[in-house]
Amino acid sequence: MAFASLSRDPGFGVYVHWPFCAAKCPYCDFNSHVRHQPVDQERFARAFSTELANMRARTGPREVTSVFLGGGTPSLMRPETVGAVLEAIAANWTIADSAEITIEANPSSVEAERFRGYRAAGVNRVSLGVQALNDQDLRFLGRLHNVEEALHAIGLAREIFPRLSFDLIYARPGQKPDAWAAELKQAIGYAVDHLSLYQLTIEEGTRFFQLYNAGKFEIPDGEHAAELYAITQDVTAAHGLPAYEISNHAKPGAESRHNLTYWRYGEYVGVGPGAHGRFLEDGTRIVTIAEKLPERWVELVERRGHGVVGGETLTRSEEADEFLLMGLRLVEGIDLARYEQLSGKSLSSARLSILQGEGLVAPIGNSRLRATPEGMIVLDAVVADLAR
């Protein structure tokens, strides 16, 4: 099915956060935790089930179009744990026959038996955290696998799952444009239908933040990074995986349905330590934020039925701003009528004219607006200008 003909209904998603990792990567600012004692997976599975039931009471009956098991390292879960979580989701909502069920996996934790167990439990898409296709950079990024293990995991995933994606990080120290182009072509050659390609960023609170500020390494400057970004767009498009979002590339029809729910400003519930959700409750969009510490989260769920410790009710203006920020990440852009419905007003024609004149946004017919490739690079500024 071609992307242009895919339904633009954002769908309804369920995000499940498994917070545990074998090691903390130095660039990672996600809610992930290393435990040196075995995790009580049965206890966490029961807690996921309890929190899912609590969320069902808040959302009412819905049809789930996607489930995403993220982390952390969800491939550290036993297949029985994954099966229990998916059964709990099915017990609370209707799961669409065409639902996309994704699990993130690290090559170092991949076993054929475990992959087949996930498939038997209902997982139909795997997203592999490969990150680089040379051992030197894998060591720099703190990954526990080498290239040989990554290729083994890719081969298993291609054999077992209908759909496969993997991640790569670029703009690594000393990375040359020709080397990145060659690595990209190599990645595409492994017959994936989806690639997530992220520029290395230095996030506060990470090990890389400390090392970078201490002058231990350098990353490409803005001009060099922009060149690597342009190569990313050119190579993927030339090989049949064009960008459909700033960092995501797919064969037509293989776009991540779960992530499209986010970017199209759909509804989703989030369960697990640190998980976020955004859904309509009594006609108003609310945000839920769960306790980050795994042990504290599971205790809260056992005591009161959920681990939510924060959140807010969004105003129309806040909804409209989020809709702009998420939707303009997509090549398909935004539906202007939906923006007006959310915000109660039209986008400023004067600001639109200026941004069009600068080559940062472009209309799609009379009903949609998109950011241009140049606008994607400075998207935060474009959105801030439009939302004023």
Side-chain angles (χ1 to χ4, degrees), residues 329-341:
R329 295 176 64 92
L330 290 167
V331 171
E332 71 178 23
I334 61 165
D335 180 347
L336 292 170
R338 188 171 176 214
Y339 175 80
E340 292 178 16
Q341 180 184 35

Side-chain angles (χ1 to χ4, degrees), residues 22 31 33 58 87 129 140 177 193 204 225 256 297-298 360 370:
N31 185 42
H33 304 264
R58 300 184 68 173
E87 288 172 9
F140 168 74
D193 60 17
E204 191 170 355
S256 168
W297 172 82
V298 79
L360 300 178
R370 68 176 180 88

Side-chain angles (χ1 to χ4, degrees), residues 341-374:
Q341 180 184 35
L342 288 170
S343 68
K345 64 180 181 179
S346 303
L347 289 170
S348 165
S349 57
R351 292 194 192 107
L352 280 174
S353 179
I354 292 170
L355 290 169
Q356 278 187 247
E358 293 174 344
L360 300 178
V361 299
I364 305 174
N366 295 320
S367 62
R368 302 186 70 83
L369 180 76
R370 68 176 180 88
T372 64
E374 294 75 18

Side-chain angles (χ1 to χ4, degrees), residues 74-374:
S75 54
L76 293 175
M77 280 193 278
R78 295 192 296 266
E80 304 82 56
T81 306
V82 171
V85 171
L86 295 181
E87 288 172 9
I89 293 170
N92 286 289
W93 298 278
T94 300
I95 298 183
D97 291 340
S98 61
E100 173 190 273
I101 315 293
T102 301
I103 189 168
E104 289 184 332
N106 279 344
S108 57
S109 61
V110 164
E111 302 168 6
E113 183 178 351
R114 184 172 290 185
F115 262 18
R116 291 192 174 93
Y118 297 151
R119 183 72 187 103
V123 174
N124 55 27
R125 182 176 182 272
V126 66
S127 178
L128 286 171
V130 173
Q131 311 309 6
L133 289 173
N134 71 75
D135 287 338
Q136 180 179 340
D137 282 356
L138 285 172
R139 287 191 294 272
F140 168 74
L141 292 169
R143 306 300 286 167
L144 297 180
H145 63 273
N146 57 31
V147 172
E148 182 180 356
E149 289 168 322
L151 298 184
H152 174 69
I154 290 168
L156 279 177
R158 285 171 55 190
E159 174 188 335
I160 295 168
F161 295 97
R163 298 176 61 200
L164 166 65
S165 175
F166 66 77
D167 300 355
L168 292 175
I169 294 173
Y170 68 96
R172 308 188 294 257
Q175 190 172 42
K176 304 298 184 186
D178 288 350
W180 173 231
E183 187 172 353
L184 259 183
K185 292 173 186 175
Q186 180 185 0
I188 294 168
Y190 294 125
V192 295
D193 60 17
H194 187 286
L195 287 172
S196 296
L197 306 170
Y198 301 109
Q199 182 174 325
L200 178 62
T201 55
I202 308 301
E203 304 293 346
E204 191 170 355
T206 64
R207 178 64 176 154
F208 269 3
F209 184 80
Q210 299 172 331
L211 295 172
Y212 180 77
N213 287 331
K216 300 298 184 181
F217 68 90
E218 295 181 356
I219 57 175
D221 61 22
E223 183 177 345
H224 186 181
E227 182 181 6
L228 293 170
Y229 176 81
I231 287 169
T232 303
Q233 311 314 305
D234 292 344
V235 170
T236 54
H239 289 79
L241 277 82
Y244 68 98
E245 187 269 346
I246 289 177
S247 300
N248 286 273
H249 306 253
K251 294 178 180 177
E255 299 82 5
S256 168
R257 297 170 202 164
H258 189 80
N259 286 340
L260 283 173
T261 294
Y262 297 158
W263 297 320
R264 288 172 171 167
Y265 207 51
E267 297 176 67
Y268 58 96
V269 298
V271 297
H276 290 212
R278 272 173 166 73
F279 54 86
L280 293 175
E281 186 174 35
D282 299 325
T284 303
R285 186 176 291 258
I286 60 105
V287 177
T288 61
I289 303 172
E291 165 62 42
K292 287 185 174 183
L293 185 67
E295 293 78 11
R296 173 68 176 155
W297 172 82
V298 79
E299 290 169 0
L300 286 172
V301 175
E302 290 169 344
R303 190 170 76 245
R304 63 183 195 182
H306 66 86
V308 175
V309 294
E312 59 182 319
T313 299
L314 298 178
T315 65
R316 289 183 70 178
S317 176
E318 288 169 335
E319 282 193 86
D321 288 351
E322 286 191 345
F323 174 71
L324 277 181
L325 184 61
M326 300 302 286
L328 286 176
R329 295 176 64 92
L330 290 167
V331 171
E332 71 178 23
I334 61 165
D335 180 347
L336 292 170
R338 188 171 176 214
Y339 175 80
E340 292 178 16
Q341 180 184 35
L342 288 170
S343 68
K345 64 180 181 179
S346 303
L347 289 170
S348 165
S349 57
R351 292 194 192 107
L352 280 174
S353 179
I354 292 170
L355 290 169
Q356 278 187 247
E358 293 174 344
L360 300 178
V361 299
I364 305 174
N366 295 320
S367 62
R368 302 186 70 83
L369 180 76
R370 68 176 180 88
T372 64
E374 294 75 18

